[in-house]
Amino acid sequence: MNITLKRITKTYGDVAAAADVSLEIRDGETFFLLGPSGCGKTTLLRIVAGFCAPDSGVVLFDGVDVTARPPHERRTGMVFQNYALWPHMTVEANVAFGLTVPGRQPPAEERRRRVREALCKVRLVDQAERTPTQLSGGQQQRVALARALVINPDCLLLDEPLSNLDAKLRLDMRIEIRRLVKELGITTLYVTHDQKEALSMADRCAVLNGGRVEQVGVPRALYERPVNRFTADFLGGANLIPGSVTAVRDGRLTVNTGFGVWECAAFAKPFAVGARVTLSVRPESLVLTPGSGTPGFPAVIRDVLYLGETAEYRLTAANGTELKALEMNPRWTADARPADVRFSVDPTAVVALPADSNSHDGKTAGS
Ligand code: ADP
Ligand code: MG
């Protein structure tokens, strides 16, 4: 089933939880809504499920307007952020609860069969007689999934389903959930504030900020070709460097920054000579060489944040610009680092953004 949101707006007092949101989620797609806390992710999910009515705009399922339909007539399966399981009911009873529709319950035999099918899908048949209090966090999460799947929904709606799990389990569950939804071929709308979760699991993703859609795309495009400062910074933490265009040639910009002239090969829209731009450069794209006699821009390493497989170096460039560089298999520590380094970047890893492109349409976000 495909899901279309057309110009959805929802305000609470003077907070715009959704501001003119239009999205198209394709049949069988795993689509992510990604953004910081309070940006309106849950609101949009609740509007799709029918728990919340938009002030304006429409929701279409396979082209049919369902905006006025109550939740139980929408055939969506929802997994809530806190799972919302009954702690003292068995797993089986919790999952069967998903089949409860106002005024209707399937016969006992069918109910048992469908619960069993749903538990099979999430590999929990063995735990049917237990209660959620006897299960691990990951198993509870799968009970919530089974309860959403038991009605054979047309789409699956997941609200930060992994946020209560520890880091290791979260990684395993990313793979597990992705495998499951792809096996079922079910259209999935997944909400998270975790950019790694979105990048690793999504077919496509919408980045939200203050109720607005900032950018929609496949993970790699969002990460490598952000169209504004918000997306650049929210996904992966970019170095954002002000500059002005001094030449445009062969699909490349030459940009004068405070610490030198940079070549830039990636930009969402054309720029003219003289345009003010913000260059977005990923920390892992900065290549550092020790010493002062090598090519690149001079800098000093102010600080080293050791992160295990990587280290984050905090640099100060010649004019005082502060930058971050990320290195796999880090060479240096805070105690053993070169006094001076040079940094350079491949022009294809430098993205030029309009200077005032804080967020949507170049306007600063309202939140
Ligand atoms: P997210 O899920 O991205 O954290 P929400 O959709 O929960 O964001 O909330 C978006 C904004 O709308 C927030 O500012 C939140 O405080 C506000 N909001 C959400 N639901 C309500 C509500 N029922 N009443 C008042 N404000 C709400
Ligand atoms: Mg939320």
Side-chain angles (χ1 to χ4, degrees):
M1 181 180 79
N2 62 55
I3 302 170
T4 309
L5 303 183
K6 262 195 197 152
R7 312 210 59 177
I8 296 284
T9 294
K10 177 78 188 177
T11 38
Y12 293 107
D14 52 8
V15 175
D20 202 16
V21 172
S22 294
L23 291 170
E24 179 84 52
I25 297 137
R26 300 169 192 149
D27 184 33
E29 187 169 41
T30 305
F31 193 95
F32 269 62
L33 300 174
L34 171 70
S37 178
C39 73
K41 304 180 294 295
T42 297
T43 300
L44 278 181
L45 210 60
R46 288 167 51 85
I47 286 171
V48 173
F51 297 123
C52 168
D55 299 337
S56 61
V58 291
V59 181
L60 308 175
F61 286 175
D62 276 340
V64 177
D65 187 342
V66 297
T67 321
R69 260 190 219 169
H72 64 271
E73 287 174 20
R74 294 198 187 195
R75 298 190 45 77
T76 65
M78 178 120 170
V79 174
F80 298 91
Q81 189 163 2
N82 57 7
Y83 310 154
L85 300 176
W86 304 101
H88 301 297
M89 273 162 57
T90 63
V91 165
E92 186 169 16
N94 266 285
V95 174
F97 193 78
L99 290 168
T100 313
V101 169
R104 198 172 66 81
Q105 267 272 24
E109 189 49 40
E110 184 191 339
R111 197 162 70 226
R112 266 194 298 278
R113 181 179 55 77
R114 291 177 64 174
V115 167
R116 204 184 153 75
E117 268 174 25
L119 287 174
C120 270
K121 285 175 188 161
V122 301
R123 305 180 187 175
L124 266 188
V125 179
D126 302 347
Q127 315 289 331
E129 298 307 319
R130 295 197 166 196
T131 62
T133 48
Q134 298 170 316
L135 301 179
S136 70
Q139 288 171 326
Q140 288 179 30
Q141 211 280 330
R142 277 146 61 193
V143 177
L145 262 173
R147 188 187 48 196
L149 291 172
V150 73
I151 60 162
N152 291 324
D154 293 331
C155 68
L156 190 57
L157 309 175
L158 304 165
D159 194 352
E160 314 242 14
L162 306 184
S163 57
N164 293 330
L165 306 178
D166 61 56
K168 170 84 170 65
L169 191 56
R170 216 151 49 213
L171 295 184
D172 295 343
M173 288 303 290
R174 279 184 198 165
I175 295 168
E176 177 85 11
I177 292 181
R178 168 110 190 145
R179 177 195 61 80
L180 178 67
V181 298
K182 286 300 160 195
E183 254 171 42
L184 298 174
I186 190 170
T187 306
T188 301
L189 188 54
Y190 189 124
V191 160
T192 186
H193 67 275
D194 182 330
Q195 46 120 353
K196 291 261 167 67
E197 215 165 286
L199 291 175
S200 62
M201 296 176 70
D203 292 326
R204 286 189 310 144
C205 177
V207 179
L208 299 180
N209 175 27
R212 287 184 175 277
V213 176
E214 297 284 1
Q215 191 170 351
V216 179
V218 300
R220 198 154 178 162
L222 292 178
Y223 190 78
E224 294 180 0
R225 295 291 179 267
V227 297
N228 59 42
R229 295 166 58 111
F230 182 84
T231 309
D233 195 40
F234 191 74
L235 278 111
N239 290 299
L240 296 171
I241 303 157
S244 59
V245 177
T246 56
V248 183
R249 198 179 321 110
D250 302 332
R252 288 205 172 188
L253 304 179
T254 307
V255 176
N256 204 354
T257 71
F259 49 79
V261 174
W262 245 357
E263 290 275 301
C264 161
F267 31 94
K269 52 186 193 182
F271 292 99
V273 170
R276 290 194 315 116
V277 292
T278 297
L279 300 180
S280 165
V281 182
R282 296 294 177 195
E284 68 274 20
S285 299
L286 291 187
V287 178
L288 304 186
T289 33
S292 51
T294 45
F297 305 103
V300 292
I301 300 181
R302 237 173 36 250
D303 215 347
V304 179
L305 199 64
Y306 179 68
L307 297 165
E309 79 275 33
T310 59
E312 187 181 292
Y313 304 123
R314 304 277 170 100
L315 310 175
T316 306
N319 70 331
T321 300
E322 300 193 344
L323 300 164
K324 287 182 204 163
L326 202 66
E327 186 175 56
M328 288 292 282
N329 307 310
R331 283 172 286 177
W332 305 310
T333 63
D335 300 329
R337 57 183 151 145
D340 295 304
V341 292
R342 297 254 166 180
F343 64 94
S344 56
V345 180
D346 188 310
T348 60
V350 182
V351 180
L353 307 170
D356 55 357
S357 69
N358 271 332
S359 95
H360 195 78
D361 291 340
K363 290 190 286 288
T364 303
S367 63

